[in-house]
Structures are given as C-alpha cells and as structure tokens.
Amino acid sequence: MLLYRRVGHTIEVFLAHPGGPFWRHRDAGAWTIPKGLVDEGEQPLQAAIREFREETGIEPEPPFLPLGFIRQKSGKTVHAWGWEGDADPAAVFSNEAKTEWPRGSGRWLTFPEVDRCGWFSPDVARQKLNEAQSELVGRLEASLGTARKQA
C-alpha cells in the first residue's frame, strides 16, 4: 500500500524503513512501501491491507487506487494500491521479525520489521525507495495528475 497525502498541488508519500541490523545504516534505496507476502487463499489487496496494518499499526481506508505490480531484482512481485490519508510517523508501531545475525552464527535477533516511517516528496521518495518500487510513485502521480512536467 502506498499512503499519500496532498500538499498544495503535489503529494507526499509515506514510506517505511526496514528494521534490523542489515538495514540499520542504509538509507538511499533501502526504504520501501509497507508490503509482504500473500497468504494462501488471500487476495493481493487483502494481503496489502493486512501487511500495511502489521508493519505500521495504521488501518488503510478505501478507496484504493490500483497501481499494478512491479518485480524487484530479487524476483519478488509487489502488487500495490495507493490510498489517501494521513499518519504520524512517530506513532507507527510494527510487528516483529526474527533473523539469524550474523548469518550462520546461531545468534537470533528479534526486532521491529519496520523501524521508522516518514513522509517524502515524490523526488526524494524515488531516491530512498528500492529501485523497482520507485516506479509506483510515478504511477501514483500519473493517476492523480500530480506528476511534475518535464522541461
């Protein structure tokens, strides 16, 4: 889900920064839209709503604007929808994830799946997002008619 809010004649988008030691000091290209896996028998939109709630503590509200899907370099397919709303990044709370760190060490860490969120202009969001996901910002802008005119 790609949460957005209108700011004058443009928008800002709400992005999540992954938690855990691997992502701790990464910024450009590390941020993401809240997303996750589709459970068996679940529709992609239902999964997107559930994952957004689990990763931010925020309940997405319709209407939902279909943004299609992208395929990340990892091969993961991400289906996305935009929705208009507002949220306080300081009030976000996330479910927890568990991973072995460092890999092969036998030491398991538990940490929030999302360690922080923030509002960003479309241009800044494109720099912060996973490269493949940045296309979703452009699709959202095109759907809303807020895309910046190229000179």
Side-chain angles (χ1 to χ4, degrees):
M1 300 297 295
L2 183 55
L3 173 59
Y4 69 93
R5 65 182 179 188
R6 295 175 193 271
V7 180
H9 296 293
T10 187
I11 59 170
E12 289 181 330
V13 294
F14 194 73
L15 303 181
H17 186 272
F22 180 79
W23 298 104
R24 182 171 293 131
H25 301 293
R26 296 171 189 246
D27 189 60
W31 292 69
T32 184
I33 66 168
K35 61 177 179 13
L37 299 175
V38 178
D39 290 338
E40 187 175 331
E42 191 176 37
Q43 294 298 312
L45 177 57
Q46 293 171 315
I49 292 168
R50 176 184 49 75
E51 288 286 343
F52 195 96
R53 182 183 340 101
E54 289 176 0
E55 294 181 6
T56 66
I58 300 165
E59 183 69 37
E61 297 180 14
F64 301 118
L65 181 64
L67 300 176
F69 68 92
I70 53 95
R71 190 169 319 281
Q72 297 182 163
K73 283 183 183 178
S74 66
K76 181 177 185 175
T77 299
V78 176
H79 297 268
W81 288 263
W83 66 285
E84 186 172 6
D86 203 357
D88 178 359
V92 166
F93 60 91
S94 176
N95 59 333
E96 292 188 334
K98 186 177 181 180
T99 193
E100 185 180 20
W101 191 260
R103 277 198 179 142
S105 68
R107 191 177 114 198
W108 289 87
L109 299 177
T110 301
F111 51 87
E113 194 168 344
V114 167
D115 63 11
R116 65 187 179 276
C117 290
W119 287 103
F120 301 99
S121 70
D123 288 341
V124 172
R126 284 183 186 90
Q127 295 170 13
K128 290 192 173 287
L129 274 169
N130 168 296
E131 185 179 350
Q133 290 180 29
S134 67
E135 184 177 326
L136 299 170
V137 175
R139 292 180 190 176
L140 178 65
E141 286 181 299
S143 294
L144 298 172
T146 59
R148 187 168 38 113
K149 304 288 189 258
Q150 299 296 320

